[in-house]
Amino acid sequence: MIEHLEAIEQKYNDITEELTKTEVLSDIKKTTQLSKELSDMEEIVQCYRKYKKILADIEDTKEMLKDPELGEMAKDDLIKLGEEKAQIEHEIEILLIPKDPNDNKNVIVEIRGAAGGDEANIFAGDLFRMYTRYAEKQGFKYEVYNAVEGEAGGYSQIEFMIKGNQAYSKFKYESGSHRVQRVPVTESNGRLQTSTATVLVMPEAEEVDIEIKPGDLRIDIYRSSGCGGQGVNTTDSAVRITHLPTNTVVTCQNERSQIQNKEQAMKVLKARLYEMKLREQEEENGIERKSKIGTGDRAEKIRTYNYPQNRVTDHRIGYTTKNLDRVMNGDLDDIIEALITEDQKRKLTGEE
């Protein structure tokens, strides 16, 4: 581990020196690239430097043990330094876990009402509100691409982008089937019902991630329907794009402009094709290991929201909280942190 950390610190120092050179600073592209590399290493280098200081302090304190007057004080200091050493070693282990290259990307989220009819659509709307409230609390922004409202409320389908640094790292565990247990507002007999909505979270694809040939696309223009703002459904502005090789269909109708709808639909299409590409790579390279938190498959049951007991349970890690009301209001921090911690734990113990 020390050799690895020394190599990272040396590279950090080399880049820092590079960024003082005039020929490098005059090249904006190179400066941006090097600055990003430096930023990515900043936390672990600072942590390692702190670790080296603690090791030096431990050696100095051991020398003090020989002093008859300072010996007892040195013993107490050694205990404290030992605890600090153990803590920072754990932090370094986590920082050395290979980063998911998609963690810093924006995400595209698709929520669909599934089993349960009107109640499933209402629950899909509740999930949309939960995620957008959480996004706002994280300082992220969101933008709806496509929405099909349910007859009794909520959405039979809604697609939106969440924009912000590290957005994917926060939302990537949310893909799967979410189950709600409650008495629906549409239930006249007051009976408890179980309904589901599915969530798909995809990292936004960059140009280098996926290439789409114009000849592989069929683009249809039609009149928007439903909500979307005054005048949105009076012109042929809605766009449907079909990727013929994979038969992937994306629609966007939330903007007045046909051009804007096409741009947004292309973003969603690229994200879907990128998601397919990542899954294929996982299967080919055998990356789908038991350490992974869930499969990310839309059909996998990941969480239950029980309203009578005010309880939320994440089945993948056995996590339960009795704060459903707060969770549905966007207080997802505890659940997401628990998922991240479990993911790190599995990687540290070598379960993959």
Side-chain angles (χ1 to χ4, degrees):
M1 184 180 79
I2 298 297
E3 288 180 3
H4 190 186
L5 291 167
E6 282 290 339
I8 292 173
E9 186 180 33
Q10 185 58 54
K11 186 176 181 182
Y12 181 89
N13 292 336
D14 292 343
I15 292 175
T16 302
E17 186 177 346
E18 280 283 297
L19 285 170
T20 64
K21 297 178 180 177
T22 305
E23 62 270 23
V24 173
L25 293 173
S26 61
D27 186 335
I28 296 176
K29 187 176 180 180
K30 188 168 185 180
T31 300
T32 303
Q33 178 191 341
L34 291 175
S35 297
K36 185 180 183 306
E37 285 186 50
L38 201 69
S39 177
D40 290 343
M41 291 187 284
E42 178 81 27
E43 187 175 6
I44 194 163
V45 168
Q46 295 304 323
C47 208
Y48 178 46
R49 288 174 177 172
K50 184 178 177 183
Y51 180 63
K52 287 195 291 185
K53 184 180 185 306
I54 289 174
L55 293 180
D57 288 346
I58 287 174
E59 291 305 313
D60 291 343
T61 306
K62 284 180 179 178
E63 288 298 316
M64 291 171 58
L65 290 172
K66 301 171 185 177
D67 190 308
E69 294 183 6
L70 301 176
E72 285 303 314
M73 186 185 298
K75 286 180 183 178
D76 293 337
D77 288 345
L78 270 179
I79 293 172
K80 184 180 177 182
L81 286 167
E83 291 171 351
E84 290 179 8
K85 176 175 173 284
Q87 174 63 29
I88 203 164
E89 282 175 343
H90 179 67
E91 291 175 19
I92 289 172
E93 283 183 332
I94 291 174
L95 289 171
L96 286 175
I97 294 173
K99 300 289 190 297
D100 184 332
N102 293 311
D103 273 354
N104 64 344
K105 292 183 178 180
N106 299 329
V107 296
I108 292 174
V109 183
E110 178 188 280
I111 305 174
R112 292 175 182 260
D118 288 338
E119 169 65 4
N121 294 340
I122 292 170
F123 180 49
D126 293 338
L127 291 178
F128 169 69
R129 179 176 177 273
M130 177 183 79
Y131 287 135
T132 51
R133 289 255 176 135
Y134 173 69
E136 289 171 344
K137 290 176 181 180
Q138 296 296 309
F140 299 157
K141 295 184 178 180
Y142 70 90
E143 182 179 359
V144 176
Y145 284 164
N146 188 53
V148 181
E149 292 185 345
E151 290 183 6
Y155 302 95
S156 61
Q157 178 179 341
I158 185 166
E159 293 168 321
F160 55 102
M161 175 180 278
I162 295 175
K163 301 178 180 179
N165 186 36
Q166 299 291 311
Y168 185 70
S169 72
K170 299 286 188 181
F171 281 89
K172 64 182 178 182
Y173 302 107
E174 294 303 301
S175 288
S177 177
H178 295 242
R179 183 174 69 171
V180 62
Q181 295 174 326
R182 64 186 177 188
V183 177
V185 292
T186 56
E187 174 57 61
S188 58
N189 296 321
R191 291 178 298 184
L192 190 71
Q193 180 176 318
T194 298
S195 304
T196 60
T198 60
V199 176
L200 179 62
V201 177
M202 302 168 284
E204 182 184 20
E206 299 173 1
E207 292 298 327
V208 295
D209 295 326
I210 202 81
E211 181 183 356
I212 299 176
K213 298 176 183 177
D216 288 341
L217 301 177
R218 186 179 73 232
I219 301 176
D220 300 310
I221 309 299
Y222 61 99
R223 184 156 296 184
S224 300
S225 61
C227 65
Q230 185 179 358
V232 75
N233 59 349
T234 60
T235 58
D236 293 336
S237 60
V239 175
R240 180 189 300 111
I241 301 178
T242 304
H243 185 251
L244 300 173
T246 61
N247 198 33
T248 302
V249 181
V250 171
T251 60
C252 185
Q253 62 174 3
N254 275 46
E255 300 293 338
R256 294 190 185 190
S257 163
Q258 183 186 125
I259 294 174
Q260 287 177 308
N261 280 328
K262 182 180 177 182
E263 288 176 353
Q264 292 187 344
M266 282 300 296
K267 285 184 180 180
V268 177
L269 178 62
K270 286 178 181 178
R272 287 195 183 178
L273 295 179
Y274 184 45
E275 176 75 6
M276 290 180 191
K277 178 182 174 182
L278 292 175
R279 287 187 176 275
E280 287 172 3
Q281 288 175 347
E282 286 183 342
E283 291 172 6
E284 289 173 7
N285 300 328
I287 299 175
E288 196 73 56
R289 299 167 183 167
K290 63 181 180 180
S291 67
K292 190 171 180 181
I293 303 290
T295 63
D297 189 277
R298 191 194 292 272
E300 181 192 16
K301 184 181 77 174
I302 65 168
R303 197 173 295 150
T304 295
Y305 305 75
N306 185 299
Y307 274 71
Q309 297 179 20
N310 198 38
R311 184 184 72 228
V312 181
T313 300
D314 194 291
H315 304 289
R316 296 163 296 178
I317 60 174
Y319 177 90
T320 296
T321 177
K322 292 277 193 171
N323 296 314
L324 179 143
D325 51 340
R326 290 170 52 191
V327 169
M328 299 310 294
N329 199 39
D331 288 343
L332 279 168
D333 289 289
D334 289 347
I335 294 176
I336 289 176
E337 285 303 316
L339 287 160
I340 291 171
T341 300
E342 178 63 21
D343 192 23
Q344 292 172 343
K345 176 185 171 185
R346 295 186 186 187
K347 287 173 179 173
L348 284 173
T349 54
E351 288 188 23
E352 55 175 80

